[in-house]
PDB file of all heavy atoms in Angstrom:
ATOM      1  N   VAL A 309       4.263  -0.668  -6.867  1.00 87.00           N
ATOM      2  CA  VAL A 309       3.896  -1.222  -8.166  1.00 87.00           C
ATOM      3  C   VAL A 309       2.421  -1.622  -8.162  1.00 87.00           C
ATOM      4  O   VAL A 309       1.688  -1.389  -9.125  1.00 87.00           O
ATOM      5  CB  VAL A 309       4.809  -2.420  -8.515  1.00 87.00           C
ATOM      6  CG1 VAL A 309       4.317  -3.152  -9.747  1.00 87.00           C
ATOM      7  CG2 VAL A 309       6.240  -1.940  -8.710  1.00 87.00           C
ATOM      8  N   THR A 310       1.970  -2.185  -7.054  1.00 92.00           N
ATOM      9  CA  THR A 310       0.553  -2.571  -6.927  1.00 92.00           C
ATOM     10  C   THR A 310      -0.350  -1.348  -6.989  1.00 92.00           C
ATOM     11  O   THR A 310      -1.403  -1.369  -7.631  1.00 92.00           O
ATOM     12  CB  THR A 310       0.323  -3.352  -5.614  1.00 92.00           C
ATOM     13  OG1 THR A 310       1.166  -4.506  -5.630  1.00 92.00           O
ATOM     14  CG2 THR A 310      -1.121  -3.762  -5.450  1.00 92.00           C
ATOM     15  N   ASP A 311       0.054  -0.259  -6.344  1.00 95.00           N
ATOM     16  CA  ASP A 311      -0.727   0.985  -6.389  1.00 95.00           C
ATOM     17  C   ASP A 311      -0.842   1.500  -7.824  1.00 95.00           C
ATOM     18  O   ASP A 311      -1.903   1.980  -8.235  1.00 95.00           O
ATOM     19  CB  ASP A 311      -0.087   2.082  -5.535  1.00 95.00           C
ATOM     20  CG  ASP A 311      -0.076   1.762  -4.068  1.00 95.00           C
ATOM     21  OD1 ASP A 311      -1.075   1.216  -3.566  1.00 95.00           O
ATOM     22  OD2 ASP A 311       0.944   2.068  -3.412  1.00 95.00           O
ATOM     23  N   ILE A 312       0.252   1.420  -8.567  1.00 91.00           N
ATOM     24  CA  ILE A 312       0.249   1.894  -9.954  1.00 91.00           C
ATOM     25  C   ILE A 312      -0.765   1.076 -10.765  1.00 91.00           C
ATOM     26  O   ILE A 312      -1.566   1.633 -11.513  1.00 91.00           O
ATOM     27  CB  ILE A 312       1.666   1.823 -10.559  1.00 91.00           C
ATOM     28  CG1 ILE A 312       2.582   2.822  -9.830  1.00 91.00           C
ATOM     29  CG2 ILE A 312       1.628   2.106 -12.062  1.00 91.00           C
ATOM     30  CD1 ILE A 312       4.055   2.632 -10.099  1.00 91.00           C
ATOM     31  N   HIS A 313      -0.735  -0.219 -10.575  1.00 90.00           N
ATOM     32  CA  HIS A 313      -1.713  -1.086 -11.246  1.00 90.00           C
ATOM     33  C   HIS A 313      -3.140  -0.682 -10.840  1.00 90.00           C
ATOM     34  O   HIS A 313      -4.017  -0.526 -11.694  1.00 90.00           O
ATOM     35  CB  HIS A 313      -1.450  -2.551 -10.882  1.00 90.00           C
ATOM     36  CG  HIS A 313      -2.491  -3.483 -11.391  1.00 90.00           C
ATOM     37  ND1 HIS A 313      -2.429  -4.051 -12.647  1.00 90.00           N
ATOM     38  CD2 HIS A 313      -3.642  -3.924 -10.841  1.00 90.00           C
ATOM     39  CE1 HIS A 313      -3.490  -4.809 -12.833  1.00 90.00           C
ATOM     40  NE2 HIS A 313      -4.246  -4.752 -11.754  1.00 90.00           N
ATOM     41  N   ASN A 314      -3.351  -0.514  -9.540  1.00 95.00           N
ATOM     42  CA  ASN A 314      -4.693  -0.171  -9.047  1.00 95.00           C
ATOM     43  C   ASN A 314      -5.151   1.209  -9.503  1.00 95.00           C
ATOM     44  O   ASN A 314      -6.348   1.419  -9.711  1.00 95.00           O
ATOM     45  CB  ASN A 314      -4.741  -0.279  -7.526  1.00 95.00           C
ATOM     46  CG  ASN A 314      -4.697  -1.719  -7.064  1.00 95.00           C
ATOM     47  OD1 ASN A 314      -5.101  -2.627  -7.780  1.00 95.00           O
ATOM     48  ND2 ASN A 314      -4.195  -1.934  -5.864  1.00 95.00           N
ATOM     49  N   LEU A 315      -4.223   2.149  -9.679  1.00 94.00           N
ATOM     50  CA  LEU A 315      -4.593   3.472 -10.198  1.00 94.00           C
ATOM     51  C   LEU A 315      -5.104   3.360 -11.636  1.00 94.00           C
ATOM     52  O   LEU A 315      -6.043   4.045 -12.018  1.00 94.00           O
ATOM     53  CB  LEU A 315      -3.401   4.428 -10.168  1.00 94.00           C
ATOM     54  CG  LEU A 315      -3.107   5.123  -8.863  1.00 94.00           C
ATOM     55  CD1 LEU A 315      -1.811   5.917  -8.972  1.00 94.00           C
ATOM     56  CD2 LEU A 315      -4.240   6.023  -8.431  1.00 94.00           C
ATOM     57  N   GLU A 316      -4.485   2.515 -12.409  1.00 91.00           N
ATOM     58  CA  GLU A 316      -4.917   2.348 -13.800  1.00 91.00           C
ATOM     59  C   GLU A 316      -6.258   1.641 -13.889  1.00 91.00           C
ATOM     60  O   GLU A 316      -7.094   1.988 -14.709  1.00 91.00           O
ATOM     61  CB  GLU A 316      -3.872   1.575 -14.606  1.00 91.00           C
ATOM     62  CG  GLU A 316      -2.783   2.438 -15.196  1.00 91.00           C
ATOM     63  CD  GLU A 316      -3.292   3.594 -16.053  1.00 91.00           C
ATOM     64  OE1 GLU A 316      -4.035   3.361 -17.029  1.00 91.00           O
ATOM     65  OE2 GLU A 316      -2.945   4.738 -15.746  1.00 91.00           O
ATOM     66  N   TYR A 317      -6.465   0.642 -13.038  1.00 94.00           N
ATOM     67  CA  TYR A 317      -7.678  -0.172 -13.139  1.00 94.00           C
ATOM     68  C   TYR A 317      -8.744   0.172 -12.092  1.00 94.00           C
ATOM     69  O   TYR A 317      -9.825  -0.405 -12.104  1.00 94.00           O
ATOM     70  CB  TYR A 317      -7.313  -1.657 -13.063  1.00 94.00           C
ATOM     71  CG  TYR A 317      -6.612  -2.119 -14.307  1.00 94.00           C
ATOM     72  CD1 TYR A 317      -5.222  -2.085 -14.400  1.00 94.00           C
ATOM     73  CD2 TYR A 317      -7.338  -2.547 -15.414  1.00 94.00           C
ATOM     74  CE1 TYR A 317      -4.577  -2.481 -15.555  1.00 94.00           C
ATOM     75  CE2 TYR A 317      -6.696  -2.954 -16.574  1.00 94.00           C
ATOM     76  CZ  TYR A 317      -5.317  -2.913 -16.634  1.00 94.00           C
ATOM     77  OH  TYR A 317      -4.679  -3.307 -17.782  1.00 94.00           O
ATOM     78  N   LEU A 318      -8.444   1.112 -11.189  1.00 97.00           N
ATOM     79  CA  LEU A 318      -9.389   1.578 -10.160  1.00 97.00           C
ATOM     80  C   LEU A 318      -9.937   0.409  -9.344  1.00 97.00           C
ATOM     81  O   LEU A 318     -11.146   0.289  -9.155  1.00 97.00           O
ATOM     82  CB  LEU A 318     -10.552   2.356 -10.794  1.00 97.00           C
ATOM     83  CG  LEU A 318     -10.204   3.469 -11.776  1.00 97.00           C
ATOM     84  CD1 LEU A 318     -11.480   4.110 -12.322  1.00 97.00           C
ATOM     85  CD2 LEU A 318      -9.294   4.510 -11.152  1.00 97.00           C
ATOM     86  N   GLU A 319      -9.046  -0.436  -8.818  1.00 96.00           N
ATOM     87  CA  GLU A 319      -9.561  -1.646  -8.203  1.00 96.00           C
ATOM     88  C   GLU A 319      -9.059  -1.965  -6.800  1.00 96.00           C
ATOM     89  O   GLU A 319      -9.272  -3.070  -6.316  1.00 96.00           O
ATOM     90  CB  GLU A 319      -9.321  -2.837  -9.133  1.00 96.00           C
ATOM     91  CG  GLU A 319      -7.886  -3.113  -9.435  1.00 96.00           C
ATOM     92  CD  GLU A 319      -7.709  -4.213 -10.481  1.00 96.00           C
ATOM     93  OE1 GLU A 319      -8.667  -4.520 -11.214  1.00 96.00           O
ATOM     94  OE2 GLU A 319      -6.610  -4.756 -10.533  1.00 96.00           O
ATOM     95  N   ASP A 320      -8.441  -1.009  -6.115  1.00 97.00           N
ATOM     96  CA  ASP A 320      -8.032  -1.275  -4.736  1.00 97.00           C
ATOM     97  C   ASP A 320      -9.272  -1.213  -3.841  1.00 97.00           C
ATOM     98  O   ASP A 320      -9.904  -0.162  -3.699  1.00 97.00           O
ATOM     99  CB  ASP A 320      -6.991  -0.241  -4.286  1.00 97.00           C
ATOM    100  CG  ASP A 320      -6.435  -0.537  -2.908  1.00 97.00           C
ATOM    101  OD1 ASP A 320      -7.231  -0.853  -1.991  1.00 97.00           O
ATOM    102  OD2 ASP A 320      -5.214  -0.437  -2.735  1.00 97.00           O
ATOM    103  N   ARG A 321      -9.617  -2.344  -3.252  1.00 98.00           N
ATOM    104  CA  ARG A 321     -10.836  -2.422  -2.437  1.00 98.00           C
ATOM    105  C   ARG A 321     -10.806  -1.453  -1.257  1.00 98.00           C
ATOM    106  O   ARG A 321     -11.837  -0.897  -0.881  1.00 98.00           O
ATOM    107  CB  ARG A 321     -11.042  -3.848  -1.927  1.00 98.00           C
ATOM    108  CG  ARG A 321     -11.477  -4.804  -3.000  1.00 98.00           C
ATOM    109  CD  ARG A 321     -11.559  -6.229  -2.463  1.00 98.00           C
ATOM    110  NE  ARG A 321     -12.076  -7.127  -3.464  1.00 98.00           N
ATOM    111  CZ  ARG A 321     -13.352  -7.493  -3.527  1.00 98.00           C
ATOM    112  NH1 ARG A 321     -14.214  -7.067  -2.661  1.00 98.00           N
ATOM    113  NH2 ARG A 321     -13.751  -8.305  -4.482  1.00 98.00           N
ATOM    114  N   GLU A 322      -9.634  -1.267  -0.675  1.00 97.00           N
ATOM    115  CA  GLU A 322      -9.533  -0.342   0.461  1.00 97.00           C
ATOM    116  C   GLU A 322      -9.880   1.078   0.022  1.00 97.00           C
ATOM    117  O   GLU A 322     -10.609   1.788   0.708  1.00 97.00           O
ATOM    118  CB  GLU A 322      -8.125  -0.401   1.069  1.00 97.00           C
ATOM    119  CG  GLU A 322      -8.002   0.396   2.343  1.00 97.00           C
ATOM    120  CD  GLU A 322      -6.640   0.292   2.992  1.00 97.00           C
ATOM    121  OE1 GLU A 322      -5.732  -0.367   2.435  1.00 97.00           O
ATOM    122  OE2 GLU A 322      -6.473   0.886   4.071  1.00 97.00           O
ATOM    123  N   VAL A 323      -9.379   1.492  -1.120  1.00 98.00           N
ATOM    124  CA  VAL A 323      -9.703   2.820  -1.661  1.00 98.00           C
ATOM    125  C   VAL A 323     -11.189   2.893  -1.998  1.00 98.00           C
ATOM    126  O   VAL A 323     -11.859   3.881  -1.672  1.00 98.00           O
ATOM    127  CB  VAL A 323      -8.847   3.151  -2.903  1.00 98.00           C
ATOM    128  CG1 VAL A 323      -9.307   4.447  -3.556  1.00 98.00           C
ATOM    129  CG2 VAL A 323      -7.368   3.228  -2.540  1.00 98.00           C
ATOM    130  N   LEU A 324     -11.707   1.862  -2.625  1.00 98.00           N
ATOM    131  CA  LEU A 324     -13.123   1.856  -3.028  1.00 98.00           C
ATOM    132  C   LEU A 324     -14.063   1.967  -1.822  1.00 98.00           C
ATOM    133  O   LEU A 324     -15.166   2.494  -1.946  1.00 98.00           O
ATOM    134  CB  LEU A 324     -13.436   0.604  -3.846  1.00 98.00           C
ATOM    135  CG  LEU A 324     -12.720   0.518  -5.203  1.00 98.00           C
ATOM    136  CD1 LEU A 324     -12.909  -0.857  -5.825  1.00 98.00           C
ATOM    137  CD2 LEU A 324     -13.166   1.619  -6.137  1.00 98.00           C
TER     138      LEU A 324
END
Side-chain angles (χ1 to χ4, degrees):
V309 171
T310 301
D311 295 320
I312 294 167
H313 173 88
N314 288 334
L315 277 174
E316 274 306 303
Y317 289 92
L318 310 179
E319 61 186 18
D320 185 315
R321 288 175 175 263
E322 187 177 3
V323 173
L324 295 170

